[in-house]
């Protein structure tokens, strides 16, 4: 069974059951970076929540490992800072980084949903009071988008699609907003796609982006899983190195698109985790 | 009976018996080790942030140190060089030093040899090991190696946080929270990727690579925890030894190869394990507390171990294989241990001491 199908099954089972695998690890939700979002030369593999205080276990589980930023064998500095790694059922593992200390968890071997693990601090490579939260599927050896497994939040804001453009083989950029015709051939499609939530104006990544060419689905970029391949990370089933998922300006690379002679209708549909959707369409003729 | 006449025979017989006994029953005497304090240096009291001067390091053998907020270099004859102080994070090795905040956007390394500066222009935490520069990227699952011009040599990412890391001139070993153990050559190319398994929960708690890269050791798993050794065979590593450990450490574990590569030290919940690669056997010494450092001399005659339990440190000295010959305790906030041959350097809070082990040269 393909990974994509497995993820879809988990999601479907979760929705049908009306339950989620985990509870939010913090009480106030201010996401500053979410799964698949550009992060320097790579992508975010979890969620970063800002302005957090108490951090709680997202589910029942076994404490797998605590990472003490003040003590590292051979001195290697882990950027999660003080961190707790908890193993749950079904091979799921949750990771909580940037804690102020490990005092509350040091003597524990198991946790229940809501067990206080600590407080967000300034021990990791992020801002003070940020919580770094990641979910790993140990059985399938990948990162899962935590939003798939956490209770949905009320959110009515739709994603935004801007600066869509085609880049030709010679590096020339054709903004879709103002370009009416190009030569037929292959182009790299880019766009600035972002989302906000009702309680945060931080710019976040979408959950799914679909590209339609002349009304047919051409490609889909699902922000569901991140896998490792040959020392690089790949988002979803795109097989695409996360290092090139975004360009230097932060535009999302949507894939290579082939424009045939004549009129070409290009549509980009962006969706967030709660189902808010926005679509933009352009017509361009290829000569 | 002529007792008087027999006394001389009895006396002579006794003397002969004693001589024969002394010759035949003699066993080699144990070596009488003793410890000779050579010098103690107190670190200058620095109340404000102070970076070391950018003078070339006059002694290439100078040892780097970090003690709480103080850092710098010292030499075998007791000279303190370039001491500095900072509340920020410090990376230091014979190559140079760097100071950076917890949310470092970029980091400048000052080379000890000539005071030249090297900019690492990416966010993350710089780690210096001997002449090698590494950057651990935000998110916990990506590491890069840089050259001394600040150019990246290689980057490696994985779908789990890094939980163990060790390098030697021959390569690098990385352990991850999903139980993966990856071994890279000097160029960062993957030689082996193993999942030791054998436990209910997979995780690598600590790992080390021998100086010649021939062996890799790790502590892995929860329920049951295991110690694993893999040996390089061509371009692959194969597991050649494993042992189940008592109890479960649920924190990062100390794993370290001594300089000859024959012995590996590894931390367990019940003490410090010592693995002998020639005998393919291990034993656990009952040391309590968290292992801070171990040391050994080139002939592997004497091992030193520094362990910590809260603010109490224990320095133990073992004669190979596991005979405890000395043990001392002290309190402090920060401490380090270095052993170079028969010389021990012990740092405690605001002072560094040199102690020479005598009695077995």
């Amino acid at each position: 069974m393909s990974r994509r199908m497995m993820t879809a099954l988990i999601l479907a089972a979760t929705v049908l059951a009306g339950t989620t695998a985990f509870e939010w690890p913090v009480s106030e939700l201010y996401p500053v970076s979410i799964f698949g979002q550009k992060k320097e030369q790579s992508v975010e593999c979890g969620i970063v929540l800002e302005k957090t205080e108490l951090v709680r276990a997202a589910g029942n589980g076994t404490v797998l490992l605590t990472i003490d930023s003040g003590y590292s064998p051979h001195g290697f500095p882990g950027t999660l800072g003080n961190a707790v790694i908890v193993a749950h059922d079904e091979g799921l593992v949750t990771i909580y980084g940037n804690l102020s200390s490990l005092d509350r968890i040091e003597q524990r071997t198991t946790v229940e949903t809501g067990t206080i693990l600590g407080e967000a601090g300034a021990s990791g490579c992020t801002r003070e009071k940020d919580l770094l939260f990641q979910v790993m599927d140990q059985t399938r050896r990948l990162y899962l988008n935590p939003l798939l497994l956490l209770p949905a939040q009320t959110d009515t804001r739709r994603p935004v699609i801007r600066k869509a453009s085609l880049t030709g083989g010679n590096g020339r950029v054709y903004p879709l907003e103002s370009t009416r015709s190009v030569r037929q051939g292959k182009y790299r499609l880019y766009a600035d796609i972002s989302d906000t939530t009702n309680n945060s104006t931080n710019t976040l990544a979408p959950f799914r982006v679909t590209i339609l060419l002349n009304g047919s689905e051409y490609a889909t970029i699902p922000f569901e899983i991140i896998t490792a391949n040959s020392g690089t990370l790949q988002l979803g089933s795109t097989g695409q190195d996360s290092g090139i998922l975004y360009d230097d300006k932060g535009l999302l690379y949507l894939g290579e698109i082939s424009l045939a002679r004549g009129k070409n209708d290009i549509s980009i549909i962006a969706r967030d985790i709660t189902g808010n959707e926005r679509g933009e369409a352009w017509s361009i003729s290829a000569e | 009976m002529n007792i008087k006449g027999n006394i001389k025979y009895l006396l002579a017989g006794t003397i002969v018996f004693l001589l024969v006994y002394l010759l035949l029953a003699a066993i080699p005497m144990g070596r009488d080790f003793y410890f000779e304090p050579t010098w103690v240096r107190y670190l200058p009291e620095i109340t404000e942030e102070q970076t070391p001067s950018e003078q070339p390091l006059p002694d290439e053998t100078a040892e780097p140190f970090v003690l709480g907020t103080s850092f710098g270099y010292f030499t075998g004859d007791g000279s303190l060089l370039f001491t500095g102080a900072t509340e920020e994070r410090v990376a230091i090795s014979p190559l140079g030093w760097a100071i950076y905040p917890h949310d470092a956007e970029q980091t400048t390394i000052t080379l000890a040899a000539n005071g030249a500066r090297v900019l690492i222009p990416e966010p993350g935490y710089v780690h210096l090991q001997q002449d090698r520069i590494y950057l651990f990227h935000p998110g916990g699952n990506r590491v890069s190696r840089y050259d001394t011009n600040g150019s990246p040599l290689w980057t490696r990412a994985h779908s789990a946080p890094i939980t163990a890391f060790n390098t030697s001139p021959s390569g690098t070993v990385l352990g991850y929270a999903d139980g993966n153990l990856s071994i890279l050559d000097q160029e960062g190319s993957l030689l082996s990727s193993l999942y030791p398994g054998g436990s209910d929960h997979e995780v690598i708690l600590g790992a080390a690579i021998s100086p010649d890269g021939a062996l890799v050791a790790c502590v892995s798993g929860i329920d049951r925890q295991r110690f694993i050794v893999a040996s390089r065979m061509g371009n692959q590593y194969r597991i050649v030894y494993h042992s189940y450990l008592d109890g479960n450490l649920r924190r990062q574990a100390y794993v370290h190869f001594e300089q000859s590569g024959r012995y590996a030290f590894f931390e367990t919940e019940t003490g410090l394990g010592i693995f002998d690669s020639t005998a393919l056997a291990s034993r656990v010494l009952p040391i309590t507390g968290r292992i801070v450092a171990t040391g050994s001399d080139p002939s592997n005659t004497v091992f030193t171990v520094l362990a910590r339990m809260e603010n109490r440190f224990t320095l133990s000295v073992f004669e190979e294989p596991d005979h405890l010959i000395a043990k001392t305790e002290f309190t402090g906030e920060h401490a380090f241990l270095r052993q170079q041959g028969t010389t021990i350097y012990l740092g405690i809070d605001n002072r560094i001491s040199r102690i020479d082990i005598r009695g077995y040269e």
Side-chain angles (χ1 to χ4, degrees), chain A residues 63 71 74 79 123 138 231, chain B residues 89 102 137 157 202 250 255 291:
Chain A
V63 176
Y71 168 81
H74 309 295
T79 51
S123 60
Q138 210 164 23
Chain B
R89 291 160 180 268
H102 76 90
H137 298 269
E202 292 184 87
R250 291 175 194 267
V255 184
I291 304 299

Side-chain angles (χ1 to χ4, degrees), chain B residues 164-213:
Chain B
F165 175 86
N166 184 230
T167 80
S168 80
S170 305
T172 300
V173 60
L174 288 152
Y176 296 95
D178 67 349
N180 177 266
L181 189 72
S182 291
I183 305 155
L184 316 178
D185 64 15
Q186 302 99 313
E187 281 75 44
S189 301
L190 183 71
L191 292 175
S192 269
S193 175
L194 316 169
Y195 285 90
S199 310
D200 285 356
H201 299 289
E202 292 184 87
V203 62
I204 304 294
L205 296 96
I209 185 167
S210 62
D212 63 0

Side-chain angles (χ1 to χ4, degrees), chain B residues 141-158:
Chain B
N141 59 355
R142 212 157 59 96
V143 61
S144 298
R145 184 174 171 190
Y146 284 76
D147 65 17
T148 49
N149 296 316
S151 302
L153 295 170
W154 52 258
T155 296
R156 187 146 199 97
H158 187 61

Side-chain angles (χ1 to χ4, degrees), chain B residues 269-329:
Chain B
E269 204 193 18
T270 55
L272 177 72
I274 300 179
F275 168 74
D276 183 347
S277 63
T278 55
L280 285 182
S282 66
R283 57 190 179 278
V284 175
L285 308 178
I287 290 176
T288 53
R290 181 172 272 193
I291 304 299
V292 176
T294 56
S296 59
D297 68 293
S299 62
N300 290 317
T301 311
V302 176
F303 298 126
T304 51
V305 181
L306 182 65
R308 173 178 200 163
M309 189 172 271
E310 295 179 346
N311 284 348
R312 201 179 77 247
F313 290 87
T314 306
L315 176 65
S316 308
V317 184
F318 292 88
E319 185 184 9
E320 201 277 335
D322 53 9
H323 175 54
L324 180 67
I325 55 173
K327 186 177 177 180
T328 183
E329 289 190 358

Side-chain angles (χ1 to χ4, degrees), chain B residues 114-165:
Chain B
N114 55 17
R117 303 230 170 167
V118 179
L119 178 68
I120 305 298
E122 281 200 67
Y125 292 169
V126 163
H127 176 55
L128 304 175
Q129 194 157 347
Q130 296 300 320
D131 60 348
R132 303 181 290 280
I133 301 171
Y134 298 92
L135 182 74
F136 289 85
H137 298 269
N141 59 355
R142 212 157 59 96
V143 61
S144 298
R145 184 174 171 190
Y146 284 76
D147 65 17
T148 49
N149 296 316
S151 302
L153 295 170
W154 52 258
T155 296
R156 187 146 199 97
H158 187 61
S159 52
I162 300 166
T163 51
F165 175 86

Side-chain angles (χ1 to χ4, degrees), chain A residues 6 11-12 16 32 47 140 146 167 185 202 234 238 249 273 285:
Chain A
M6 279 289 288
L11 184 60
L16 285 173
V32 66
I47 306 179
R140 294 158 59 211
T167 301
N202 288 322
Q234 296 182 349
T238 59
K249 294 168 188 161
I273 188 74
S285 66

